[in-house]
Each structure stands twice: as structure tokens, then as C-alpha cells.
Amino acid sequence: MTTATVNSKGVGTPTTRIYGALAIVALGWVLLGGLFFTPEDVVQGDAVRIMYVHVPTAWVAYLAFIVTGIASACWLIGKKHSLGFDRVAGASAEVGVVFMAMTLLSGSLWGRITWGTYWVWDPRLTTTAFLFVTYVGYLAVRGLGGSPEQRARRSSVIALLAVLEIPLVHFSVVLWRSLHQQASVLSPDGDIKMDGLMLFTLLFGVFGFSVLFAWLVSHRQRIMAMQDALQTNALDAAVSERLREAQV
Amino acid sequence: MSMSVSRVARAVAAKDLRIELRTRVVTNQVLPFSGLVMIMFAFALDSDDVLQRVAGGLVWLATLFSMFILVQRTFAVETYDGALDSLRVAGVQPQGIFLGKSLALFIELLVLEVVLFISAVVLYRVSVGGLGAVLLVTCVLCATAGLAFVGTLYGGLTAGARGRETLLPLLLLPVVAPVLICATRATESAFESGGVTVGEGWAWVAVLATFACVFGLGGLLSFGSLIEE
């Protein structure tokens, strides 16, 4: 059984504290660099600053869903069916959904300023939106209740089915757009010739958000471990209480 | 001692279809519902030209909406009185249950689609030529196989769970989006609506067939661990 301990200093470990400190430093730099130090874009003006949040959050969201897929596969394949994998999968999906929401939001704001529209039926945008909804569904499946083992079994299968689903969605949307109408707007990645400081800030953003992801996931899965332990222990306590009653 | 997978599948499918024939829920409730949806689309769009143009998409949307009810139903009869548990206790292979339930759902969906396509011809004034009909039938068979597989897969997952009525559409809609896109485009080709030719439709049917194969295999591999509690 999992035992989770809480000390008076909080739930951090030396590792999570390092992640946390690195994330604060890196994101502090991105904040200053993105808003003040980097120059305006020749074409996009100040709107280019959205990129310093948009690209890293998109990267983290995709990373999160890859982690969820791998952790789910590990749970399913592993002989011991260690619940640790399931909790990492769940924590990663939760963080991924939040970051994907931020990506969609910052992307549509950027699109409004740059393209004049919040949304275009670009394959990448559409697939991203489907990825978001799919993982919202995944989290709903995790919340169905039952024992941690039931949750792990259901959600690992759902996560692996999502790995099948997303390429199919992407491929059919690509086919749909390419046969239906020519791309009428700037391609989202464009040919942006990037100034050195801009590139540095962007890469630092990717680093900072990745560390933030690691920090969030490691804390979240610890909380999940405690919730599971609470559920299991509470059940054990109830059973032993009933047994004691029976003996009287 | 244990039955072969195909025998289990046939037995499960026959049982499901017999239940549907006797209770008449599909014929008396789901079919009228889908017919109503087709009429409501006409009210909403309010133009013969537009209806003729988008008829393919409307047929497949109506199919998806009705499919949620069918999937819900096909697993409601299993969880009621713990029928699914009894099947598992009987030592039946989960692959057989998966194939059987998919087959029954496939046949129910086919009946539904025939009615929907007839109502599209009558209400939306679409017409199909000879080659278009070949494309349409192939498209319907491939798309329906894919829908039946994912429907059974996700229906089995949510069977017996609290709040499954609301959860099922949330899980299923994103997954069946490729079917909606591809089946609609192929059907538009078959109807030759909006100036597309019949020949353009076959690429979409290939994606539909891929979808059916992928989720058929995925279901065979994973259905056992989904219904095992």
C-alpha cells in the first residue's frame, strides 16, 4: 500500500524545490525579456510577444499528452500495474489540458490581431482543439469513480485510444482542408526571421514552462497518491471497525 | 469447452437484435427521432438549395445523434440485472462480446441510415447515379463499421458508470469526427452536390476503411480490460 507522509514544512521534496526555483527564475526572465528587452516584430509589432507564452505552452501541452500516453502504456504493460504510472498519466493530462487551454486562448488572441480572425480551420488548430476535448473526456473518465485500479485500467485504455484517434483526426482534417479550399491565410508558423534575443527568450520560455510542468506534475501526482491512500485507508478502517463490532 | 470467438459473437449479436425486435425501441423511438431531426434541419436551414448542398452532412449528423441513443441502449440491456457480469462469469471471451455487440450495432445503424438516406432523397431532393450508388454503399458500409466499433468500445467503457448519458457524447464525438468528415465528403461526391464528382469520393472511403480497421483492432485488444471491473 502507498504511504504518503506530510511533514510540517509542506509537501515539497528537494527535487521539486529545485524545479520550482528554476521555473521561477526562467519564467521571470521570459516575463522581462518577452515584455521589455526583446524588440517589436517588423510585421506583427507587439503582437509577437504573445509567442513567448503561446509556443512554450503548446510545447508543454503536447509534451504532457505524450507523457500521459507513455505512462498509460507503462501501466498497462507493466506486470506490477504500479499505480504510480497511472497517477503520473493523470497529473500530466490535467496539466496538459490547462496548458492547451492557454495555447488555444493565446493563439486565438494572436490570430485576431494578426489575421483579423479568432479562428481558422487550419489542420493544426483543429487537431489541437480535438486534442483538448479528447483529454477533457479523458479526465472525465478518470473521475468516474471506483477503485484506483479501475480508474487506472479505464483511463489507460482511453489514453491509448486517444493516441490512435489524434493522427486520424489530423489526417482527415488535412485532407478536408487541402481538397476543399486553398489556405487563404498566413501559415501559422510563417517565415519569421528571428532576432537572437527573441529566439533566446523563446527557447528560455520553452525551458521555463517545461520545468514548471515537471514541478506541477510531481506535486499533483503526490497529492493523487495521498488521495488514493486516503480512500484505501478509510475503507480499511471501516472494514476493521465492522469486524470489531462483529466480535463484540 | 469454451465457445469460439465467432460463435460467441453471433450469439451475442442475435441476442441483441432479438431484444430490439421484441422491444421495438429502435423502430418505434430511434427511427422516428432521426426522421424528426431531418425535418428540424430543414426548418433550420430553410432553403432547398442549401439542403440539397449539405444533405450528406445532415444525414451523417443525424446518424451520429441517433447513434448515441443506440449505444446507450445496447449497453443499458447489458448492465441491467448485471447481464454483462454474467457473461463474463460464464467465461466468454471479451473479443466475442465486442464483435457481437459491434455486429448488432452495425445492423441497427444500417437500418437507421437506409431510412435517413431515403428521407434525404424525399425531403432534400438529392439524387444518386449508378456509380454514385456504388460509392455510397461502400462509404456507408465502411463508415458504419467504424461507428459500430467505436460505439461498442466507448459504450462498454461507460457502461454502468454514473453520468454515462452525458459522458458518452463527450467521449465519442471527438473520436468520430474523422468519420463525419470523410463520410460527409464521400456522400457529397455520391450525390454530386456542390459540383464534386463521384471519383473524388473514393479517397475518403479509404480513410473510413482505415478508421474501421484501426478501431476494430483496438477494440479486440482492449475490450477485455475495459469491461473487467
PDB file of all heavy atoms in Angstrom, chain B residues 100-118:
ATOM      1  N   GLY B 100     -19.678  -9.266 -31.243  1.00  0.00           N
ATOM      2  CA  GLY B 100     -21.123  -9.482 -31.294  1.00  0.00           C
ATOM      3  C   GLY B 100     -21.897  -8.190 -31.129  1.00  0.00           C
ATOM      4  O   GLY B 100     -22.813  -7.893 -31.898  1.00  0.00           O
ATOM      5  N   LYS B 101     -21.508  -7.408 -30.119  1.00  0.00           N
ATOM      6  CA  LYS B 101     -22.215  -6.155 -29.892  1.00  0.00           C
ATOM      7  C   LYS B 101     -21.982  -5.173 -31.036  1.00  0.00           C
ATOM      8  O   LYS B 101     -22.876  -4.430 -31.419  1.00  0.00           O
ATOM      9  CB  LYS B 101     -21.805  -5.535 -28.540  1.00  0.00           C
ATOM     10  CG  LYS B 101     -22.175  -6.406 -27.366  1.00  0.00           C
ATOM     11  CD  LYS B 101     -22.455  -5.636 -26.106  1.00  0.00           C
ATOM     12  CE  LYS B 101     -23.751  -4.893 -26.110  1.00  0.00           C
ATOM     13  NZ  LYS B 101     -24.937  -5.729 -25.885  1.00  0.00           N
ATOM     14  N   SER B 102     -20.744  -5.190 -31.589  1.00  0.00           N
ATOM     15  CA  SER B 102     -20.470  -4.322 -32.738  1.00  0.00           C
ATOM     16  C   SER B 102     -21.333  -4.729 -33.932  1.00  0.00           C
ATOM     17  O   SER B 102     -21.867  -3.874 -34.638  1.00  0.00           O
ATOM     18  CB  SER B 102     -19.000  -4.417 -33.155  1.00  0.00           C
ATOM     19  OG  SER B 102     -18.174  -4.043 -32.102  1.00  0.00           O
ATOM     20  N   LEU B 103     -21.480  -6.028 -34.150  1.00  0.00           N
ATOM     21  CA  LEU B 103     -22.269  -6.515 -35.282  1.00  0.00           C
ATOM     22  C   LEU B 103     -23.734  -6.082 -35.148  1.00  0.00           C
ATOM     23  O   LEU B 103     -24.345  -5.586 -36.104  1.00  0.00           O
ATOM     24  CB  LEU B 103     -22.157  -8.042 -35.363  1.00  0.00           C
ATOM     25  CG  LEU B 103     -22.900  -8.710 -36.518  1.00  0.00           C
ATOM     26  CD1 LEU B 103     -22.358  -8.209 -37.850  1.00  0.00           C
ATOM     27  CD2 LEU B 103     -22.759 -10.238 -36.441  1.00  0.00           C
ATOM     28  N   ALA B 104     -24.268  -6.242 -33.927  1.00  0.00           N
ATOM     29  CA  ALA B 104     -25.666  -5.842 -33.715  1.00  0.00           C
ATOM     30  C   ALA B 104     -25.822  -4.343 -33.945  1.00  0.00           C
ATOM     31  O   ALA B 104     -26.768  -3.897 -34.616  1.00  0.00           O
ATOM     32  CB  ALA B 104     -26.104  -6.221 -32.304  1.00  0.00           C
ATOM     33  N   LEU B 105     -24.877  -3.573 -33.411  1.00  0.00           N
ATOM     34  CA  LEU B 105     -24.945  -2.113 -33.570  1.00  0.00           C
ATOM     35  C   LEU B 105     -24.798  -1.743 -35.047  1.00  0.00           C
ATOM     36  O   LEU B 105     -25.493  -0.844 -35.545  1.00  0.00           O
ATOM     37  CB  LEU B 105     -23.826  -1.471 -32.742  1.00  0.00           C
ATOM     38  CG  LEU B 105     -23.842   0.044 -32.588  1.00  0.00           C
ATOM     39  CD1 LEU B 105     -25.128   0.507 -31.938  1.00  0.00           C
ATOM     40  CD2 LEU B 105     -22.653   0.508 -31.748  1.00  0.00           C
ATOM     41  N   PHE B 106     -23.928  -2.449 -35.751  1.00  0.00           N
ATOM     42  CA  PHE B 106     -23.723  -2.225 -37.183  1.00  0.00           C
ATOM     43  C   PHE B 106     -25.043  -2.410 -37.939  1.00  0.00           C
ATOM     44  O   PHE B 106     -25.435  -1.552 -38.746  1.00  0.00           O
ATOM     45  CB  PHE B 106     -22.669  -3.237 -37.679  1.00  0.00           C
ATOM     46  CG  PHE B 106     -22.377  -3.184 -39.154  1.00  0.00           C
ATOM     47  CD1 PHE B 106     -21.565  -2.198 -39.682  1.00  0.00           C
ATOM     48  CD2 PHE B 106     -22.920  -4.139 -40.008  1.00  0.00           C
ATOM     49  CE1 PHE B 106     -21.287  -2.164 -41.036  1.00  0.00           C
ATOM     50  CE2 PHE B 106     -22.642  -4.109 -41.363  1.00  0.00           C
ATOM     51  CZ  PHE B 106     -21.830  -3.120 -41.880  1.00  0.00           C
ATOM     52  N   ILE B 107     -25.756  -3.486 -37.639  1.00  0.00           N
ATOM     53  CA  ILE B 107     -27.012  -3.754 -38.355  1.00  0.00           C
ATOM     54  C   ILE B 107     -28.068  -2.696 -38.001  1.00  0.00           C
ATOM     55  O   ILE B 107     -28.765  -2.172 -38.875  1.00  0.00           O
ATOM     56  CB  ILE B 107     -27.498  -5.184 -38.045  1.00  0.00           C
ATOM     57  CG1 ILE B 107     -26.508  -6.179 -38.671  1.00  0.00           C
ATOM     58  CG2 ILE B 107     -28.898  -5.421 -38.572  1.00  0.00           C
ATOM     59  CD1 ILE B 107     -26.701  -7.607 -38.247  1.00  0.00           C
ATOM     60  N   GLU B 108     -28.149  -2.340 -36.709  1.00  0.00           N
ATOM     61  CA  GLU B 108     -29.124  -1.313 -36.309  1.00  0.00           C
ATOM     62  C   GLU B 108     -28.815   0.015 -37.000  1.00  0.00           C
ATOM     63  O   GLU B 108     -29.718   0.703 -37.485  1.00  0.00           O
ATOM     64  CB  GLU B 108     -29.091  -1.123 -34.790  1.00  0.00           C
ATOM     65  CG  GLU B 108     -29.688  -2.299 -34.022  1.00  0.00           C
ATOM     66  CD  GLU B 108     -29.358  -2.237 -32.537  1.00  0.00           C
ATOM     67  OE1 GLU B 108     -29.145  -1.127 -32.015  1.00  0.00           O
ATOM     68  OE2 GLU B 108     -29.303  -3.313 -31.909  1.00  0.00           O
ATOM     69  N   LEU B 109     -27.515   0.378 -37.050  1.00  0.00           N
ATOM     70  CA  LEU B 109     -27.123   1.638 -37.693  1.00  0.00           C
ATOM     71  C   LEU B 109     -27.439   1.605 -39.188  1.00  0.00           C
ATOM     72  O   LEU B 109     -27.873   2.611 -39.767  1.00  0.00           O
ATOM     73  CB  LEU B 109     -25.636   1.909 -37.485  1.00  0.00           C
ATOM     74  CG  LEU B 109     -25.222   2.459 -36.120  1.00  0.00           C
ATOM     75  CD1 LEU B 109     -23.706   2.428 -35.975  1.00  0.00           C
ATOM     76  CD2 LEU B 109     -25.712   3.880 -35.941  1.00  0.00           C
ATOM     77  N   LEU B 110     -27.231   0.437 -39.824  1.00  0.00           N
ATOM     78  CA  LEU B 110     -27.521   0.322 -41.259  1.00  0.00           C
ATOM     79  C   LEU B 110     -28.995   0.591 -41.531  1.00  0.00           C
ATOM     80  O   LEU B 110     -29.346   1.331 -42.461  1.00  0.00           O
ATOM     81  CB  LEU B 110     -27.157  -1.077 -41.764  1.00  0.00           C
ATOM     82  CG  LEU B 110     -25.739  -1.308 -42.252  1.00  0.00           C
ATOM     83  CD1 LEU B 110     -25.636  -2.679 -42.896  1.00  0.00           C
ATOM     84  CD2 LEU B 110     -25.314  -0.232 -43.244  1.00  0.00           C
ATOM     85  N   VAL B 111     -29.861  -0.011 -40.710  1.00  0.00           N
ATOM     86  CA  VAL B 111     -31.306   0.204 -40.876  1.00  0.00           C
ATOM     87  C   VAL B 111     -31.605   1.691 -40.759  1.00  0.00           C
ATOM     88  O   VAL B 111     -32.319   2.284 -41.586  1.00  0.00           O
ATOM     89  CB  VAL B 111     -32.087  -0.597 -39.802  1.00  0.00           C
ATOM     90  CG1 VAL B 111     -33.567  -0.243 -39.841  1.00  0.00           C
ATOM     91  CG2 VAL B 111     -31.890  -2.085 -40.011  1.00  0.00           C
ATOM     92  N   LEU B 112     -31.000   2.307 -39.728  1.00  0.00           N
ATOM     93  CA  LEU B 112     -31.198   3.741 -39.490  1.00  0.00           C
ATOM     94  C   LEU B 112     -30.751   4.560 -40.699  1.00  0.00           C
ATOM     95  O   LEU B 112     -31.445   5.478 -41.159  1.00  0.00           O
ATOM     96  CB  LEU B 112     -30.388   4.130 -38.260  1.00  0.00           C
ATOM     97  CG  LEU B 112     -30.435   5.572 -37.810  1.00  0.00           C
ATOM     98  CD1 LEU B 112     -31.701   5.787 -37.019  1.00  0.00           C
ATOM     99  CD2 LEU B 112     -29.235   5.911 -36.962  1.00  0.00           C
ATOM    100  N   GLU B 113     -29.581   4.222 -41.254  1.00  0.00           N
ATOM    101  CA  GLU B 113     -29.038   5.005 -42.371  1.00  0.00           C
ATOM    102  C   GLU B 113     -29.876   4.850 -43.629  1.00  0.00           C
ATOM    103  O   GLU B 113     -30.057   5.811 -44.379  1.00  0.00           O
ATOM    104  CB  GLU B 113     -27.581   4.603 -42.633  1.00  0.00           C
ATOM    105  CG  GLU B 113     -26.642   5.204 -41.607  1.00  0.00           C
ATOM    106  CD  GLU B 113     -25.380   4.396 -41.417  1.00  0.00           C
ATOM    107  OE1 GLU B 113     -25.181   3.406 -42.166  1.00  0.00           O
ATOM    108  OE2 GLU B 113     -24.601   4.720 -40.504  1.00  0.00           O
ATOM    109  N   VAL B 114     -30.403   3.646 -43.859  1.00  0.00           N
ATOM    110  CA  VAL B 114     -31.277   3.459 -45.023  1.00  0.00           C
ATOM    111  C   VAL B 114     -32.464   4.415 -44.922  1.00  0.00           C
ATOM    112  O   VAL B 114     -32.803   5.127 -45.876  1.00  0.00           O
ATOM    113  CB  VAL B 114     -31.751   1.984 -45.105  1.00  0.00           C
ATOM    114  CG1 VAL B 114     -32.878   1.849 -46.128  1.00  0.00           C
ATOM    115  CG2 VAL B 114     -30.588   1.081 -45.478  1.00  0.00           C
ATOM    116  N   VAL B 115     -33.066   4.474 -43.730  1.00  0.00           N
ATOM    117  CA  VAL B 115     -34.202   5.374 -43.543  1.00  0.00           C
ATOM    118  C   VAL B 115     -33.776   6.832 -43.746  1.00  0.00           C
ATOM    119  O   VAL B 115     -34.465   7.611 -44.417  1.00  0.00           O
ATOM    120  CB  VAL B 115     -34.803   5.175 -42.129  1.00  0.00           C
ATOM    121  CG1 VAL B 115     -35.871   6.219 -41.835  1.00  0.00           C
ATOM    122  CG2 VAL B 115     -35.365   3.777 -41.996  1.00  0.00           C
ATOM    123  N   LEU B 116     -32.597   7.188 -43.204  1.00  0.00           N
ATOM    124  CA  LEU B 116     -32.139   8.577 -43.321  1.00  0.00           C
ATOM    125  C   LEU B 116     -31.854   8.940 -44.781  1.00  0.00           C
ATOM    126  O   LEU B 116     -32.181  10.051 -45.221  1.00  0.00           O
ATOM    127  CB  LEU B 116     -30.880   8.792 -42.474  1.00  0.00           C
ATOM    128  CG  LEU B 116     -31.122   8.835 -40.963  1.00  0.00           C
ATOM    129  CD1 LEU B 116     -29.803   8.913 -40.204  1.00  0.00           C
ATOM    130  CD2 LEU B 116     -31.980  10.039 -40.602  1.00  0.00           C
ATOM    131  N   PHE B 117     -31.234   8.023 -45.523  1.00  0.00           N
ATOM    132  CA  PHE B 117     -30.933   8.336 -46.925  1.00  0.00           C
ATOM    133  C   PHE B 117     -32.211   8.443 -47.746  1.00  0.00           C
ATOM    134  O   PHE B 117     -32.314   9.312 -48.624  1.00  0.00           O
ATOM    135  CB  PHE B 117     -29.963   7.302 -47.523  1.00  0.00           C
ATOM    136  CG  PHE B 117     -28.530   7.633 -47.234  1.00  0.00           C
ATOM    137  CD1 PHE B 117     -27.794   6.911 -46.318  1.00  0.00           C
ATOM    138  CD2 PHE B 117     -27.927   8.714 -47.862  1.00  0.00           C
ATOM    139  CE1 PHE B 117     -26.477   7.236 -46.028  1.00  0.00           C
ATOM    140  CE2 PHE B 117     -26.602   9.045 -47.591  1.00  0.00           C
ATOM    141  CZ  PHE B 117     -25.885   8.308 -46.670  1.00  0.00           C
ATOM    142  N   ILE B 118     -33.184   7.591 -47.448  1.00  0.00           N
ATOM    143  CA  ILE B 118     -34.458   7.702 -48.173  1.00  0.00           C
ATOM    144  C   ILE B 118     -35.104   9.048 -47.861  1.00  0.00           C
ATOM    145  O   ILE B 118     -35.595   9.746 -48.757  1.00  0.00           O
ATOM    146  CB  ILE B 118     -35.390   6.530 -47.796  1.00  0.00           C
ATOM    147  CG1 ILE B 118     -34.834   5.234 -48.391  1.00  0.00           C
ATOM    148  CG2 ILE B 118     -36.811   6.782 -48.313  1.00  0.00           C
ATOM    149  CD1 ILE B 118     -35.570   3.990 -47.959  1.00  0.00           C
TER     150      ILE B 118
END
